[in-house]
Amino acid sequence: MGTPVNIIVGSNVWVEDPELAWIDGQVSKINGQEAEIENTNGKKIVAKLSKIYPKDMEAPAGGVDDMTKLSYLHEPGVLQNLKIRYELNEIYTYTGNILIAINPFQRLPHLYDGHMMQQYKGAPFGELSPHVFAVADVAYRAMINEGKSNSILVSGESGAGKTETTKMLMRYLAFLGGRAATEGRTVEQQVLESNPVLEAFGNAKTVRNNNSSRFGKFVEIQFDKQGRISGAAIRTYLLERSRVCQISDPERNYHCFYLLCAAPQEEIEKFKLANPKSFHYLNQSRCYELVGVSDAHDYLATRRAMDVVGISAKEQEAIFRVVAAILHLGNIEFTKGTEVDSSVPKDDPAKFHLKMTAELLMCDVDALEDALCKRVMITPEEVIKRSLDPQSAAISRDGLAKTIYSRLFDWLVDKINVSIGQDATSKSLIGVLDIYGFESFKTNSFEQFCINFTNEKLQQHFNQHVFKMEQEEYTKEQIDWSYIEFVDNQDVLDLIEKKPGGIVALLDEACMFPKSTHETFANKLYQTFKTHKRFIKPKLSRTDFAIGHYAGEVLYQSDQFLDKNKDYVVPEHQDLLGASKCSFVAGLFPPLPEETAKSSKFSSIGSRFKLQLQSLMETLNSTEPHYIRCVKPNNLLKPAVFENVNIMQQLRCGGVLEAIRISCAGYPTRKPFFEFINRFGLLAPEVLEGNYDEKVACTKILEKKGLKGFQIGKTKVFLRAGQMAELDARRAEVLSIAAKTIQRRVRTHYARKRFIALRRATIVMQSICRGSLACKVFHCMKRESAAVKIQKNMRKYQARSTYNKLHISVLVLQTGLRAMAARKEFRFKRQTKAATIIQAVWRCHKAVKYFKKLKKGSIVAQCRMRGKIARKELRKLKMAARETGALKEAKDKLEKRVEELTWRLQLEKRLRTDLEEAKAQEITKLQNSLQEMQHKVDETNALVVKERESTKKAIQDAPPVVKETQVVVEDTQKVDSLTAEVDSLKASLEAEKQRADDNERKYNEAQTSGEERRKKLEETEKKVSQLQENLTRLEEKLTNLESENQVLRQQAVSMAPNKFLSGRSRSIIQRAAESGHIGGDAKTTMDLHSPSINHRESELEDKPQKSLNEKQQENQELLIRCIAQHLGFAANRPIAACIIYKCLLQWRSFEVERTSIFDRIIQTIGNAIETQDNNDILAYWLSNASTLLLLLQRTLKASGAAGMAPQRRRSSSATLFGRMTQSFRGTPQGVNLSLINGGMSGGVDSLRQVEAKYPALLFKQQLTAYVEKIYGMIRDNLKKEISPLLGLCIQAPRTSRASLVKGSSRSVANTEAQRALIAHWQGIVKSLGNFLNTLKANHVPPFLVRKVFTQIFSFINVQLFNSLLLRRECCSFSNGEYVKAGLAELEHWCYKATDEYAGSAWDELKHIRQAIGFLVIHQKPKKTLDEISHDLCPSINLSLELLF
């Protein structure tokens, strides 16, 4: 690894650093065996020469792809090379044929695409950059060419990228094997899909890793003779069984136990589970949950993964039943029984868990208790049943739990292999081994001992492979290597597994003695291995021991070694579970052979572990190994972070540094002849000057420097450790001497150059001094001349200043005079302009006033004229309604409803009248009683006055004083009594006034409630009038439809084929003769009938019937081709509808009893609307179809409809568009029909009626159906567009609720934030606006547009109101503010759309508006139920009343 002899002052070296592992610097001083080094940070470090390694200053800037190419193969060189390549995203590096892969923690898709796989296919190893594909390709080519199986060992700690590396290996092997996917999944996908199941049952949390694999996995990819993948299998090794019963803090048991405890509630209740803290097998550690991991979510993911790998629901339930049984089994505690050395369940909880275990395993409770607490001993004489003490019973319990779990895990692996599919006939395979790495914690127990034992075995295999590769390299170069000694770890393996004196053997021996303890076991180890160099006894512990492994010294605590190693094979357990009623449990314990069943031999986990490890090594030894070492660059799991100390530890544990030591034991430095001569040729210049062969030249250079032990191969120079550093030191000396010679020459050159420059400067100084004297003389002469010029210019300046002042004064005076004249002229012009403006405004005002007056008169005249026409139409409709009887049932129902509402109205009026009369009577009574009381008070006052007068008279008439005194006493008593009576009357008066006030208040309340009832009655009257209008429309529609249907039935019955044909011929000829009276103005629309009518009549008289039919067929073809194109609109009118109507009217197609033109028109419309997503096309055809339907409704009339009685049957008039077409009797608002015949003044009213035949009536019904269909498609498209946004509009985002509540009192930024928050609402508004623009652009009738938006707003109301009712979290003040802001956007849209298109759409949102209004009001608790139901939410209250 380098020799300290070659370190000199100025050498660039690597020195150890506690934080960065290794840091580079330069040697500044050497004192004996110590050196002072100044590192790159400027700090000075003192280190021993034996701990310093030379640094290669000529290494490539991007590193080398193979570490064997490094000039110095030591730890810092390896670490620096990996760091440089990692910073360049070069994550793969070779060490010979070992691949080191550093996890980049980011996606590098360019490394794994199909092009990259194609590049590495068949490429020689080492020709391309290091890659995992290269290792897989070498393994595959070796298997194909040599017919021998290969294995790829992927190692590294969790998070190092082993799974991704394994995935890439299988991807590349699948690419090479070329097997097609099975049921849509490739072999690699099937293997990877089994990972969640194996991780749930085989992974657990350890000290360093939350998801550590506690078993080894060997994936076999099987190939047939042609090299194609024929199957795959997963082999598992070395499952850590002791973890089921014993765990240490802060580790966890296997994930499946915690996943089951976090299962849905019904699963927990079924298995009688609880919190993990309540189970003995889980509460030995205080760690129950993992940060950032949801056990409930992982449980569902595991169940889904089980479904994927083919485990049925019944088998899944049985699996988790067994897992729950293991948890309950661990809670069975034992205590001493009545007999000696016997045991029984400790208490009621123990009995409960015993019972639950038996129920889950479907076995007998007593049999389970006997199997745990007793043993059967078979002797030649008899069978003896022996009881176990509590400790032995607990050991028996733990042994049963470990056996059940181990067999469950083996069953899962077998099931996964069956799902993947194996090829039993395959002779070649490539195996990928993924196993746990070396572990060294603060506390290391039996588990770490077994794991490190496994890694020692794998490291020996690795060392042998590296040694073999070194041998192959040396043999290839034909050098002598027989004296080289390589590092071997066989002594450590002998220490652990040797029989009979190894640690495993001593542990098994201690477990077989009942009274053995961990202290006796530790003492046995101390005595046996006290002289072993790999076994270390700590000074401060009596039970711990340390082993010097290849990756470092590990201290083990033997406290639980005996307990974790015990694994008795109990026949009672086998018999008990083999007889289970559960087929799954019984399948885990198949019947054993007789000789095996009789032997109840002790077996230990350590021995079984050693046997499984031996099986694994036999599998690996039978294959050709390839190694991939995965490295995790940091514990933060972030890209571009390279932790040196962490990586060095992983390189040690992964055996990479051990491989370097093996290389250093031989010839670590290997240089091609050309590179060696190019670097060290300056040490022997005579060799370079001579014409020597490269091999001879290299030998002469090395012999000249006196090096020994090197080897010269066929193409390379092989140097022993330290020789490269010595050559570099000699080379540095030569370069130093050359540098000194160059420095001497350069310094001489600089000194001469400085002298010449100084002499030249002296001459220049002399010239400057002489020039200075001459300048002074010249300066004096210049000053005299300048003084003369200054005087001249000064006099000139004074004269010019005087002139300028006079000139400016004149200009100011002229400017003032001109300004006065200009202001006077401007004032006059402004007055003139103002007078002109006043005149113009006055004249405009008079003209506007006259115009408004004229407009008002015109409007009044129009209203009266329209009212007259409407009344006339109303009289016609009433007359037609008297003859109607088809919808009598609906009419009766509506009449009953009207009568009921009328009766309720009358009842409310009567109640209100009675209440008012009662109140009036009560008020009259109160007034009368008040008058009576007032009258009594007046009478009393009069009596008092009279008494006083009489008293005065008596006093005056009384003669003596004595009598006078007696009278005074009597009068006083009477006055007092009267006063008391007056007071009582006053009190009663106050009481009556109070009653009057109460009655007045009650009267006011009754009057208020009466006013509310009056409003309700008015609303009811409005509803009654609406129902009456609907009834009238239904009666009108019934009349027309029944008459049409009657005509159609009569024509269908009475029509005969021969008569129909002859009648058709006659009608065609008659129409041809009469066509001159119809189509006069139709020529302006399209040139379909350009020849004159007279010419056509003369042709019809001459040509036969066949030519007439051909001409008619050509016209129909021309019409169909014409309307199939997008003709657009003229003067807001659909051209296609006008053309169809005029052509049909001119050809008299409505009066023909058989024609195909209607079917072709319908087919054309149907073909045009096949694309349901294009609203523009749908709106175009909705406009044409509705306009054409309106024209047909106004034109066609059913013949013979007057004298026919209507039939009572349900027709399409009950639908939405049935009512719509019936309303076409009157022209809807916004439908412009002044297009027929161009200049017709009457519009729709002037259309003539045509007696319609069966095809025309059928065409009208089909057209009605298509209008309804197109309408529904457009409406549904809009619903689909806004439905996703409605789901997002009901609840505000969490981060935005506070800003919504605070309102708009913040800055403009807050307004912008609120706009961003209602982006979903704005999306709905944008969709509505685009939809309205599309309908407007296609001139869809406004009444249809209103109908669409009314239904859409009703849909929005229902969706939002239902979401508000079903989602409780949405019923908050902040969420109400959010929805309220969105509703404001919809209201603003309705305002911009105007009532012509929006109509009453805004009223459809009354339920959600009232509900949101209730959410955002303040002080809800102060609102009464009556206020909420009548004032805040009247519509919701009315809906609830109708519902209930």
Side-chain angles (χ1 to χ4, degrees), residues 1121-1158:
R1121 287 198 303 271
C1122 178
I1123 64 174
Q1125 302 174 1
H1126 193 290
L1127 300 178
F1129 303 86
N1132 299 336
R1133 301 188 294 264
I1135 296 175
C1138 302
I1139 292 173
I1140 294 171
Y1141 176 76
K1142 287 187 177 182
C1143 290
L1144 294 177
L1145 197 64
Q1146 182 168 347
W1147 297 341
R1148 299 204 172 204
S1149 299
F1150 300 122
E1151 301 172 23
V1152 177
E1153 293 181 351
R1154 176 177 295 180
T1155 181
S1156 63
I1157 184 63
F1158 297 128

Side-chain angles (χ1 to χ4, degrees), residues 622-745:
S622 65
T623 63
E624 183 68 24
H626 305 271
Y627 293 91
I628 298 177
R629 296 300 193 228
C630 297
V631 178
K632 181 168 67 174
N634 59 80
N635 292 323
L636 303 175
L637 308 182
K638 293 183 178 180
V641 179
F642 194 88
E643 297 177 354
N644 294 353
V645 178
N646 185 17
I647 290 175
M648 286 303 303
Q649 178 63 24
Q650 293 180 64
L651 293 177
R652 289 192 185 98
C653 295
V656 176
L657 299 183
E658 192 72 12
I660 294 174
R661 289 192 187 97
I662 293 174
S663 298
C664 289
Y667 300 97
T669 304
R670 302 153 195 190
K671 288 288 185 182
F673 293 148
F674 173 76
E675 291 184 9
F676 185 82
I677 295 173
N678 188 37
R679 182 165 183 170
F680 298 110
L682 56 88
L683 297 178
E686 65 277 4
V687 175
L688 297 179
E689 294 173 359
N691 190 12
Y692 294 106
D693 182 61
E694 289 183 341
K695 186 174 183 179
V696 176
C698 293
T699 306
K700 287 184 175 295
I701 293 172
L702 292 170
E703 290 176 350
K704 181 180 179 181
K705 295 304 173 185
L707 296 181
K708 297 180 180 180
F710 64 88
Q711 292 281 351
I712 303 295
K714 293 175 66 177
T715 60
K716 298 178 183 177
V717 176
F718 291 81
L719 301 177
R720 298 299 298 269
Q723 291 183 343
M724 187 70 181
E726 185 175 352
L727 288 174
D728 273 340
R730 302 283 181 87
R731 180 172 175 268
E733 291 177 1
V734 173
L735 292 176
S736 176
I737 294 171
K740 291 176 182 177
T741 304
I742 294 171
Q743 288 175 355
R744 183 175 70 248
R745 297 289 185 183

Side-chain angles (χ1 to χ4, degrees), residues 1183-1221:
S1183 176
N1184 282 280
S1186 58
T1187 304
L1188 183 58
L1189 183 60
L1190 176 60
L1191 294 171
L1192 297 181
Q1193 188 71 25
R1194 299 292 297 174
T1195 302
L1196 304 183
K1197 67 177 181 178
S1199 60
M1204 299 179 185
Q1207 301 292 327
R1208 292 179 178 271
R1209 67 183 186 89
R1210 181 176 177 84
S1211 66
S1212 62
S1213 60
T1215 62
L1216 167 67
F1217 281 86
R1219 296 192 296 273
M1220 185 193 75
T1221 53

Side-chain angles (χ1 to χ4, degrees), residues 473-752:
E473 177 71 15
Y474 299 157
T475 304
K476 178 183 175 182
E477 291 290 332
Q478 298 179 358
I479 65 173
D480 183 16
W481 52 271
S482 57
Y483 59 89
I484 300 173
E485 295 181 359
F486 289 95
V487 180
D488 192 9
N489 62 341
Q490 184 61 44
D491 53 348
V492 180
L493 296 175
D494 293 340
L495 172 67
I496 295 174
E497 67 175 347
K498 186 177 181 181
K499 288 186 178 181
I503 295 177
V504 175
L506 294 177
L507 181 61
D508 292 345
E509 181 183 345
C511 290
M512 294 176 68
F513 291 101
K515 295 184 179 180
S516 295
T517 63
H518 61 279
E519 294 180 352
T520 60
F521 170 65
N523 290 328
K524 185 70 174 177
L525 293 179
Y526 297 156
Q527 294 173 6
T528 306
F529 304 114
K530 59 183 177 181
T531 60
H532 201 288
K533 64 177 182 179
R534 295 278 191 166
F535 186 87
I536 301 121
K537 179 185 180 300
K539 295 180 180 180
L540 302 177
S541 175
R542 298 176 58 186
T543 59
D544 296 352
F545 65 93
I547 297 177
H549 291 284
Y550 72 92
E553 185 178 309
V554 180
L555 181 65
Y556 296 101
Q557 287 73 35
S558 64
D559 298 346
Q560 297 180 348
F561 266 53
L562 297 179
D563 297 335
K564 293 183 177 181
N565 187 52
K566 292 177 182 178
D567 185 25
Y568 290 97
V569 178
V570 182
E572 288 81 355
H573 297 168
Q574 172 72 32
D575 298 338
L576 172 70
L577 298 179
S580 172
K581 297 178 183 179
C582 178
S583 59
F584 181 81
V585 176
L588 295 179
F589 292 86
L592 299 175
E594 241 177 86
E595 58 275 7
T596 309
K598 289 181 180 178
S599 61
S600 178
K601 234 196 246 183
F602 167 78
S603 68
S604 68
I605 291 180
S607 300
R608 184 174 299 178
F609 196 89
K610 189 168 67 172
L611 292 175
Q612 289 186 352
L613 182 58
Q614 184 177 353
S615 173
L616 174 61
M617 297 311 298
E618 289 175 356
T619 302
L620 294 179
N621 289 329
S622 65
T623 63
E624 183 68 24
H626 305 271
Y627 293 91
I628 298 177
R629 296 300 193 228
C630 297
V631 178
K632 181 168 67 174
N634 59 80
N635 292 323
L636 303 175
L637 308 182
K638 293 183 178 180
V641 179
F642 194 88
E643 297 177 354
N644 294 353
V645 178
N646 185 17
I647 290 175
M648 286 303 303
Q649 178 63 24
Q650 293 180 64
L651 293 177
R652 289 192 185 98
C653 295
V656 176
L657 299 183
E658 192 72 12
I660 294 174
R661 289 192 187 97
I662 293 174
S663 298
C664 289
Y667 300 97
T669 304
R670 302 153 195 190
K671 288 288 185 182
F673 293 148
F674 173 76
E675 291 184 9
F676 185 82
I677 295 173
N678 188 37
R679 182 165 183 170
F680 298 110
L682 56 88
L683 297 178
E686 65 277 4
V687 175
L688 297 179
E689 294 173 359
N691 190 12
Y692 294 106
D693 182 61
E694 289 183 341
K695 186 174 183 179
V696 176
C698 293
T699 306
K700 287 184 175 295
I701 293 172
L702 292 170
E703 290 176 350
K704 181 180 179 181
K705 295 304 173 185
L707 296 181
K708 297 180 180 180
F710 64 88
Q711 292 281 351
I712 303 295
K714 293 175 66 177
T715 60
K716 298 178 183 177
V717 176
F718 291 81
L719 301 177
R720 298 299 298 269
Q723 291 183 343
M724 187 70 181
E726 185 175 352
L727 288 174
D728 273 340
R730 302 283 181 87
R731 180 172 175 268
E733 291 177 1
V734 173
L735 292 176
S736 176
I737 294 171
K740 291 176 182 177
T741 304
I742 294 171
Q743 288 175 355
R744 183 175 70 248
R745 297 289 185 183
V746 170
R747 287 170 184 165
T748 302
H749 172 71
Y750 283 161
R752 179 170 177 78

Side-chain angles (χ1 to χ4, degrees), residues 859-891:
I859 292 172
V860 169
Q862 288 176 356
C863 291
R864 289 179 179 175
M865 189 62 189
R866 290 170 182 165
K868 184 177 180 182
I869 295 172
R871 283 191 293 274
K872 184 178 179 181
E873 186 67 22
L874 180 62
R875 283 196 296 272
K876 291 180 181 180
L877 294 175
K878 285 182 179 179
M879 290 176 65
R882 293 191 188 98
E883 300 173 0
T884 304
L887 295 176
K888 190 172 182 182
E889 294 179 3
K891 178 180 178 183

